[in-house]
Amino acid sequence: MPRKKSLEPHLRGLVDLVSATLDEGTRQVESVHRRIADIPFSVLKKIRPIAPISSAVHMVEKKITHSAYDTVRLVAKVGAQAVHNVLPTDPASQGIAKPEYKLDHDAILRDKKKPRKP
């Protein structure tokens, strides 16, 4: 009887690929976001009366933006771990040998059909 191939390693690899893509993708988008958001703040910092306030607002904006992207990365990692936890594991891939016995299904069915003594 040919051995059935498991999709588990492929699914795990796909989950890891999606997780890594989300991680790197959010880093790239955050970098672009950062460069775009820095433009108006660099102009505002040149206006002396509002420079201290714009610097403080810029710092808060950076923290909030980073936290948002960091949260997306964290959720992607937690989601990947959750999927890994629910995927069935092939015992052979974990070094667990198959049982050496075979179930006699016919015998089990015969035993079920026998009347039980009270």
Side-chain angles (χ1 to χ4, degrees), residues 28-42:
Q28 294 294 326
V29 171
E30 181 179 7
S31 174
V32 170
H33 186 145
R34 181 80 278 119
R35 288 192 305 259
I36 292 169
D38 286 346
I39 295 169
F41 284 109
S42 66

Side-chain angles (χ1 to χ4, degrees), residues 30-106:
E30 181 179 7
S31 174
V32 170
H33 186 145
R34 181 80 278 119
R35 288 192 305 259
I36 292 169
D38 286 346
I39 295 169
F41 284 109
S42 66
V43 172
L44 291 172
K45 286 179 186 174
K46 293 177 183 175
I47 304 170
R48 290 183 190 224
I50 60 169
I53 295 169
S54 66
S55 291
V57 171
H58 191 201
M59 183 185 69
V60 170
E61 187 273 334
K62 279 183 177 180
K63 297 275 185 193
I64 291 171
T65 301
H66 179 70
S67 295
Y69 286 108
D70 213 29
T71 300
V72 171
R73 287 188 285 271
L74 180 63
V75 168
K77 286 178 187 171
V78 170
Q81 188 59 52
V83 172
H84 277 294
N85 290 343
V86 271
L87 279 175
T89 302
D90 179 17
S93 71
Q94 304 298 315
I96 302 168
K98 286 186 175 180
E100 295 180 12
Y101 59 86
K102 285 193 171 188
L103 291 176
D104 184 355
H105 295 287
D106 294 331

